[in-house]
């Protein structure tokens, strides 16, 4: 194998921050090379340097035979580098072929040759084994298909190195499978893949080598087959964090705190379950199986067609979130930035907002009371921040999530519905969230935990409820946790027993 | 020791700093800093400041209303019909007019909710409807002959200070306290900051929007009443244009077009900046049409500052990563 891309002593400084510190890395032709690290480790800066989106302060980039002290997006692309960022660079209102050929000097100088564009696009799509109509408007495609169009867009320019930044972050399981297959197809064609991902499972499945970064430094490159999850986490976090899923000392009690009977609506049908005091009930299923809808119906945010909700044996008619909160139910929404946090405001503004009416005398907010609550939760959840006034936007993903959780806990909710509580946060912060869940359960609170990461559910839940297309296909107890079995239920295969 | 962040201080008190600069510049003009002229500026612009307080509630909650000027126009004409043509006593006429203002503002909100379209677009349409209605009702003549009680709202003095100035300061204090000290104020910021998250946080966003609309409508109506009383006559062209002063003043006051920021006291400073510039331009003998151009430039500057603040925040965010 030959080295196709080489970085030497790359340093990138931002005012007050060293994003990349003397990083040297090389990539072989035809390998799948994963780059891992926590948020802020410098992965994004690294790929933007290669893609030409940012210029390093020092160091050289060698592509094949040519060395550069910096790249521009067009220079990078001319030298066979393609980058697929998390946010796609597609024009939604144009067709697939128009997107694939965008910025590619095809056909006539002044008008576009639709025929040629279509044949060229078809050729690339066929080579990649994709069944997408070149005339289809991109906005009508699914996220997974759009990603494939992005790949085709790179391939039509004969790209030799394809960089993918968190490509599976917004894909469903099936789409993820497709993407991983595509990575292998590209590898067979001799394309080098730089694969940036938080998800250990995927990385183990497809990569040949893994490079780890931490705090802007290059740490180490390991062969995938010679390493373990634990070693990787240790390299990423910089210390041994022990068990990925901390053990819980407490067991669920008999008392049922939340009972849902025949919940229907928003595509869900006849959802029934019981949540016990001190229990973590996991909710597994594919993206779009109706889990978030169930959570939001219980919380009164989405309208339910029918179904009864009992809180501690008492029937509750919950039509708006305020009524759920009054019954002691809290929801940690799936999309932290859009639904959870008020990013432009301080921590001290965010934490009390849900209970601020309770902390008021008449109309007037009791600032002493709210300040106490803010202090309490910053300490209890060890939210890492220079001050309570810090804007939530400036916190790391893990700390943002803690603020969202604190906001809900401040309402004294004891039934917590957590929708993908660890999505998009790094390994160290994930473990803190797991510890937090264990603490909450130990205090006698109950958690309904929706997650698309099977390992996480099996590590954290006492029981797992499995969803398939709006229906519950089964419950699995901790002693019977087995990935294949749960996956089968999530794919709609109900066992006879 | 807490380090003083000049960027933050500037942003927080931008309106006051600009106001001081403007005052300083005009202090060289003859008669400008006299007590009489300052009282005059405050008195002339009380109505605009009160209207701006209402619009500021909407903008802090993340909404922009273009129909404000024609709500004022309708309120003015209706007050005229009630007090002059129907002979209804001043107090009752005023109360009914305020109710009309509230209803019109809530109607905007209702339509925005019904059509799932933002208030900005809705009010492009209702602006025209309100304008037409106002001319139809008034038959496009000015209504004169308000009762003394009604005129007193705009024309009487307490000591040497006109009543509208007192009403303005009274409402400014109430609005300021409402935004900074009460949970209602926090809810308004919540809507402006992230209405989706506000909804999930258990805030009844739908209800809040109606309350905010009603509040804004009341302030807009009061503004129209004071203006009408000061002029002593009601006409359909009483009011339009105020929305322009209000939005510019509010932006200068550091409230973002995206909502969720700012203080009521800065709105006061922001509107005063425009008033003083206008007053100064008049004293300097600048032609009215040139004043339009100058106001437009100020509006652009205010928007520019708003966008600059947003960009800077994003740069800070990127470097913090």
């Amino acid at each position: 194998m030959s080295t196709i891309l080489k970085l030497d002593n790359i340093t990138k400084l931002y005012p007050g921050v060293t994003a990349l510190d003397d990083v040297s890395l090389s990539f072989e032709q035809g390998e799948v090379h994963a780059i891992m690290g926590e948020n802020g480790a410098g992965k994004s800066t690294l790929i933007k340097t290669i893609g030409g989106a940012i210029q390093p302060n020092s160091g050289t980039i060698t592509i094949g035979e040519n060395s550069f002290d910096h790249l521009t997006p067009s220079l990078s692309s001319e030298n066979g580098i393609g980058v697929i960022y998390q946010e796609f660079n597609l024009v939604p209102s144009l067709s697939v072929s128009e997107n694939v050929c965008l910025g590619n000097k095809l056909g006539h100088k002044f008008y576009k040759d639709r025929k040629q564009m279509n044949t060229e696009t078809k050729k690339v799509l066929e080579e990649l084994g994709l069944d997408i109509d070149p005339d289809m408007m991109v906005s009508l495609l699914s996220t997974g298909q759009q990603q494939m169009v992005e790949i085709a867009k790179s391939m039509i320019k004969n790209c030799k190195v394809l960089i993918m930044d968190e490509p599976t972050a917004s894909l469903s399981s099936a789409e993820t499978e497709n993407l991983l297959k595509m990575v292998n197809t590209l590898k067979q064609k001799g394309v080098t893949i730089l694969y940036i991902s938080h998800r250990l499972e995927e990385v183990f499945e497809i990569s040949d080598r893994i490079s780890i970064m931490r705090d802007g430094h290059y740490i180490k490159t390991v062969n995938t087959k010679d390493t373990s999850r634990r070693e990787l986490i240790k390299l990423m976090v910089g210390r041994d964090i022990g068990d990925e899923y901390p053990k819980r000392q407490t067991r669920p009690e008999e008392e049922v705190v939340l009972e849902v009977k025949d919940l229907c609506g928003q595509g869900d049908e006849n959802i029934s379950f019981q949540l016990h005091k001190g229990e973590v009930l996991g909710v597994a299923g594919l993206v779009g199986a109706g889990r978030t809808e169930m959570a939001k119906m219980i919380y009164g945010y989405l309208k339910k067609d029918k179904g009864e909700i009992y809180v501690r044996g008492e029937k509750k008619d919950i039509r708006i979130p305020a009524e759920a909160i009054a019954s002691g139910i809290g929801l940690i929404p799936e999309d932290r930035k859009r639904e959870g946090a008020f990013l432009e405001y301080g921590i001290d503004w965010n934490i009390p907002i849900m209970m601020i009416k309770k902390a008021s005398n008449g109309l007037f907010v009791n600032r002493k009371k709210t300040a106490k609550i803010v202090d309490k939760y910053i300490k209890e959840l060890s939210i890492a921040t220079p001050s309570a006034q810090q804007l939530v936007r400036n916190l790391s993903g893990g700390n943002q999530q803690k603020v969202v959780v604190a906001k809900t806990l401040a309402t004294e909710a004891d039934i917590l519905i957590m929708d993908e509580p660890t999505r998009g946060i790094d390994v160290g912060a994930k473990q803190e969230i797991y510890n937090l869940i264990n603490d909450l359960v130990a205090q006698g609170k109950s958690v309904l935990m929706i997650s698309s990461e099977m390992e996480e559910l099996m590590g954290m839940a006492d029981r797992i409820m499995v969803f398939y297309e709006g229906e519950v296909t089964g419950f699995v107890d901790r002693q019977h946790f087995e990935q294949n079995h749960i996956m089968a239920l999530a794919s709609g295969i109900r066992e006879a027993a | 020791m807490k380090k003083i962040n000049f960027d933050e201080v500037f942003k927080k008190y931008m309106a006051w700093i600009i106001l001081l600069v403007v005052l300083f510049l005009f202090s060289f003009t003859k008669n400008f800093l006299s007590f009489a002229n300052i009282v005059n500026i405050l008195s002339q612009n009380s109505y605009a400041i009160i209207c701006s307080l209402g619009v500021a509630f909407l903008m802090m909650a993340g909404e922009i209303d273009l129909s404000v000027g024609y709500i004022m126009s309708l309120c003015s004409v209706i007050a005229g019909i009630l007090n002059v043509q129907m002979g209804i006593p001043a107090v009752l006429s005023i109360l009914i007019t305020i109710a009309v203002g509230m209803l019109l503002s809530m109607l905007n909100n209702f339509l925005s909710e019904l059509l799932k379209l933002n208030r900005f677009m809705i009010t492009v349409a209702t602006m025209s409807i309100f304008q037409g209605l106002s001319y139809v009702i008034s038959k496009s003549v000015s209504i004169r002959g308000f009762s003394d009680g009604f005129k007193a709202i705009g024309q009487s003095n307490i000591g040497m200070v006109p009543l509208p100035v007192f009403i303005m300061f009274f409402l400014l204090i109430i609005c300021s306290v409402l935004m900074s000290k009460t949970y209602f104020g926090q809810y308004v910021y919540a809507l402006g900051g992230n209405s989706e998250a506000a909804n999930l946080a258990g805030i009844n966003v739908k209800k809040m929007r109606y309350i905010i609309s009603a509040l804004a409508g009341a302030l807009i109506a009061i503004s129209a009443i004071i203006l009408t009383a000061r002029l002593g006559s009601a006409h359909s062209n009483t009011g339009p244009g105020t929305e322009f002063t209000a939005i510019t003043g509010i932006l200068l006051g550091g409230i973002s077009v995206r909502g969720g920021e700012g203080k009521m006291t800065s709105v006061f400073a922001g509107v005063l900046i425009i008033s003083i510039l206008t007053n100064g331009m008049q004293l300097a003998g600048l032609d009215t049409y040139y004043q339009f151009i100058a106001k437009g430039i100020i509006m652009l500057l205010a928007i520019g500052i708003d966008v600059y603040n947003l960009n800077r925040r994003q740069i800070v965010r990127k470097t913090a990563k």
Side-chain angles (χ1 to χ4, degrees):
Chain A
M1 282 210 274
S2 60
T3 302
I4 188 156
L5 173 66
K6 199 156 163 279
L7 306 174
D8 288 302
N9 313 98
I10 301 282
T11 297
K12 174 68 189 176
L13 304 166
Y14 285 115
V17 194
T18 309
L20 290 177
D21 190 359
D22 199 26
V23 172
S24 301
L25 254 173
S26 65
F27 303 95
E28 306 293 325
Q29 197 202 337
E31 71 168 341
V32 176
H33 194 131
I35 299 174
M36 299 198 77
E38 296 199 281
N39 292 334
K43 295 165 296 179
S44 295
T45 314
L46 186 77
I47 60 169
K48 280 183 188 156
T49 308
I50 303 171
I54 56 177
Q55 279 73 49
N57 295 72
S58 64
T60 48
I61 306 159
T62 311
I63 307 171
E65 304 289 303
N66 311 323
S67 290
F68 304 88
D69 57 357
H70 72 269
L71 291 166
T72 60
S74 58
L75 203 55
S76 171
S77 141
E78 279 163 27
N79 281 281
I81 290 180
V83 188
I84 299 174
Y85 292 105
Q86 278 184 57
E87 278 90 31
F88 299 151
N89 278 315
L90 296 174
V91 185
S93 56
L94 293 184
S95 74
V96 171
S97 60
E98 280 167 326
N99 266 288
V100 169
C101 300
L102 203 65
N104 216 357
K105 298 172 186 91
L106 265 184
H108 196 271
K109 209 168 167 186
F110 294 114
Y111 60 89
K112 50 187 185 184
D113 185 342
R114 194 173 288 273
K115 220 179 198 173
Q116 195 194 348
M117 274 179 14
N118 268 353
T119 29
E120 294 283 335
T121 306
K122 223 175 235 164
K123 213 169 82 192
V124 173
L125 293 176
E126 259 164 36
E127 267 175 41
L128 296 175
L130 292 170
D131 182 26
I132 300 175
D133 179 2
D135 285 324
M136 185 89 140
M137 199 159 82
V138 161
S139 59
L140 300 175
L141 300 176
S142 70
T143 318
Q145 286 175 313
Q146 291 188 10
Q147 196 169 43
M148 293 298 157
V149 174
E150 277 273 8
I151 295 174
K153 202 172 140 190
S154 293
M155 294 319 295
I156 205 168
K157 293 178 191 163
N158 285 322
C159 121
K160 295 196 272 302
V161 178
L162 187 63
I163 306 173
M164 298 181 169
D165 189 7
E166 296 274 355
T168 57
S170 49
L171 298 188
S172 69
S173 305
E175 287 174 328
T176 301
E177 279 301 309
N178 273 335
L179 179 82
L180 299 185
K181 266 188 221 145
M182 176 58 65
V183 168
N184 273 323
T185 314
L186 293 170
K187 185 181 159 183
Q188 300 306 326
K189 291 182 187 294
V191 178
T192 305
I193 313 269
L194 268 62
Y195 194 90
I196 287 96
S197 178
H198 273 309
R199 297 190 178 167
L200 286 164
E201 287 143 69
E202 281 165 27
V203 167
F204 271 99
E205 195 179 329
I206 59 159
S207 71
D208 300 308
R209 294 198 295 162
I210 305 170
S211 290
I212 288 104
M213 298 192 59
R214 191 200 314 146
D215 300 330
H217 297 273
Y218 162 72
I219 303 295
K220 196 180 178 185
T221 300
V222 292
N223 286 323
T224 308
K225 59 179 191 301
D226 303 331
T227 188
S228 64
R229 287 174 77 95
R230 185 137 180 188
E231 189 196 356
L232 280 183
I233 293 172
K234 193 175 154 190
L235 288 169
M236 279 192 277
V237 183
R239 65 194 153 80
D240 201 340
I241 60 168
D243 280 330
E244 219 181 320
Y245 303 104
K247 291 266 175 312
R248 196 152 55 234
Q249 304 304 333
T250 54
R251 307 287 323 143
E253 294 172 29
E254 274 304 304
E255 188 190 340
V256 174
V257 288
L258 175 72
E259 178 164 18
V260 171
K261 274 187 190 163
D262 292 324
L263 182 68
C264 297
Q266 310 287 340
D268 282 351
E269 268 172 63
N270 300 317
I271 310 289
S272 300
F273 67 91
Q274 293 183 327
L275 176 67
H276 297 262
K277 188 177 178 189
E279 183 183 37
V280 177
L281 175 58
V283 186
L286 303 175
V287 172
R291 298 170 300 166
T292 299
E293 288 74 11
M294 167 201 67
K296 286 185 171 167
M297 279 192 286
I298 296 174
Y299 193 62
Y301 183 73
L302 291 179
K303 218 179 138 290
K304 56 176 186 280
D305 295 340
K306 72 179 180 89
E308 288 162 7
I309 292 162
Y310 296 84
V311 178
R312 269 173 236 89
E314 212 180 302
K315 191 175 169 195
K316 297 277 179 187
D317 183 21
I318 296 169
R319 290 157 305 172
I320 52 170
E323 288 169 352
I325 294 166
S327 311
I329 300 176
L331 174 73
I332 317 292
E334 183 179 15
D335 191 335
R336 179 171 66 241
K337 291 187 172 155
R338 208 171 58 79
E339 303 176 314
F342 295 87
L343 295 175
E344 307 300 337
Y345 302 153
I347 299 171
D348 57 344
W349 191 97
N350 270 270
I351 292 180
I353 188 63
M354 288 175 75
M355 48 76 68
I356 203 158
K357 198 170 175 180
K358 262 201 277 175
S360 297
N361 308 320
L363 264 176
F364 293 92
V365 176
N366 184 340
R367 298 278 178 201
K368 268 191 200 143
K369 224 183 207 168
T370 57
K372 243 187 229 158
I373 282 166
V374 171
D375 273 351
K376 179 181 156 203
Y377 283 104
I378 289 181
K379 275 201 202 92
E380 259 182 38
L381 307 192
S382 40
I383 297 170
T385 172
S387 78
Q389 286 82 41
Q390 179 75 296
L391 296 191
V392 173
R393 180 179 284 304
N394 297 334
L395 298 176
S396 69
N399 281 304
Q400 287 183 353
Q401 185 69 319
K402 286 187 199 171
V403 171
V404 175
V405 175
K407 180 163 78 75
T408 306
L409 288 179
T411 65
E412 290 168 5
D414 48 16
I415 299 165
L416 295 160
I417 307 175
M418 298 190 173
D419 198 352
E420 305 282 4
T422 64
R423 171 174 291 177
I425 63 181
D426 50 43
V427 185
K430 268 185 187 174
Q431 210 195 19
E432 285 189 74
I433 300 284
Y434 300 145
N435 279 322
L436 173 64
I437 293 175
N438 284 351
D439 288 346
L440 294 173
V441 171
Q443 290 164 25
K445 296 181 192 288
S446 313
V447 176
L448 190 64
M449 181 180 182
I450 302 174
S451 173
S452 293
E453 283 187 53
M454 195 60 78
E455 301 253 347
E456 172 176 283
L457 280 181
M458 301 208 308
M460 291 301 298
D462 293 300
R463 256 186 329 147
I464 294 179
M465 164 164 70
V466 191
F467 266 65
Y468 171 72
E469 295 195 343
E471 282 179 66
V472 174
T473 45
F475 289 87
V476 187
D477 280 330
R478 183 158 198 102
Q479 55 265 37
H480 299 116
F481 281 180
E482 201 214 317
Q483 191 148 355
N484 290 338
H485 176 52
I486 298 171
M487 275 314 292
L489 289 172
S491 316
I493 305 162
R494 271 178 228 247
E495 79 262 76
Chain B
M1 270 296 286
K2 217 174 148 187
K3 236 175 52 185
I4 298 170
N5 184 340
F6 283 101
D7 262 20
E8 280 296 306
V9 170
F10 180 72
K11 201 188 154 198
K12 223 169 175 174
Y13 299 106
M14 183 181 70
W16 292 102
I17 294 167
I18 299 177
L19 182 61
L20 281 179
V21 172
V22 170
L23 279 175
F24 175 76
L25 289 177
F26 279 106
S27 65
F28 297 110
T29 317
K30 207 179 148 213
N31 291 336
F32 181 80
L33 278 185
S34 67
F35 179 76
N37 192 44
I38 288 176
V39 169
N40 185 32
I41 291 175
L42 284 175
S43 157
Q44 271 178 8
N45 293 288
S46 293
Y47 84 91
I49 293 168
I50 292 168
C51 172
S52 303
L53 295 175
V55 180
F57 272 116
L58 293 172
M59 280 179 67
M60 284 170 174
E63 300 186 273
I64 294 184
D65 192 313
L66 290 182
S67 70
V68 171
Y70 289 103
I71 293 182
M72 285 179 69
S73 161
L74 254 176
C75 285
S76 170
V77 167
I78 286 170
I81 288 171
L82 292 169
N83 188 252
V84 179
Q85 299 181 355
M86 298 168 73
I88 294 173
V91 176
L92 194 57
S93 307
I94 288 168
L95 289 178
I96 296 174
T97 307
I98 292 175
V100 169
M102 291 165 88
L103 280 175
L104 293 174
S105 172
M106 282 158 85
L107 175 72
N108 282 338
N109 186 60
F110 170 74
L111 290 172
S112 145
E113 189 186 304
L114 183 76
L115 301 174
K116 297 188 172 59
L117 203 62
N118 59 40
R119 192 172 174 123
F120 178 83
M121 286 312 296
I122 293 292
T123 54
V124 169
T126 53
M127 174 170 74
S128 178
I129 298 174
F130 296 161
Q131 179 183 18
L133 271 179
S134 172
Y135 280 99
V136 168
I137 294 175
S138 71
K139 303 187 182 74
S140 86
V141 292
S142 51
I143 304 167
R144 289 175 193 281
F146 278 99
S147 69
D148 287 345
F150 193 97
K151 279 191 281 194
I153 295 286
Q155 297 177 1
S156 61
N157 287 326
I158 298 180
M160 291 173 75
V161 183
L163 183 59
V165 178
F166 274 102
I167 299 177
M168 182 265 289
F169 277 119
F170 174 71
L171 292 173
L172 174 64
I173 291 166
I174 291 198
C175 293
S176 183
V177 167
L178 205 54
M179 281 311 288
S180 61
K181 304 273 183 225
T182 70
Y183 76 83
F184 172 81
Q186 303 297 297
Y187 281 8
V188 174
Y189 285 127
L191 257 64
N194 185 345
S195 63
E196 189 84 12
N199 211 339
L200 280 158
I203 298 170
N204 193 336
V205 171
K206 207 169 150 179
K207 194 166 113 193
M208 275 297 292
R209 287 221 169 102
Y210 277 107
I211 297 174
I212 294 167
S213 291
L215 204 57
L219 287 162
I220 294 164
I222 294 172
S223 161
I225 291 162
I226 288 178
L227 180 59
T228 309
R230 219 167 56 82
L231 298 173
S233 74
H235 190 273
S236 292
N237 58 22
T238 309
T242 315
E243 72 279 3
F244 183 87
T245 311
I247 293 172
T248 315
I250 289 165
L251 286 175
L252 281 173
I255 292 172
S256 169
V257 277
R258 290 164 302 279
E261 287 176 49
K263 287 168 133 181
M264 285 296 181
T265 44
S266 307
V267 171
F268 169 75
V271 179
L272 269 193
I273 293 169
I274 300 165
S275 318
I276 289 169
L277 286 175
T278 313
N279 180 269
M281 286 187 287
Q282 277 160 1
L283 287 184
L286 203 63
D287 187 81
T288 326
Y289 302 122
Y290 285 107
Q291 288 183 32
F292 279 124
I293 297 171
K295 280 185 189 171
I297 292 169
I298 299 167
M299 176 91 155
L300 279 178
L301 271 175
I303 296 170
I305 291 168
D306 186 32
V307 171
Y308 169 75
N309 278 329
L310 175 82
N311 287 341
R312 193 180 49 197
R313 201 160 48 210
Q314 285 177 341
I315 292 163
V316 170
R317 191 179 67 206
K318 271 187 196 154
T319 44
K321 257 192 175 176

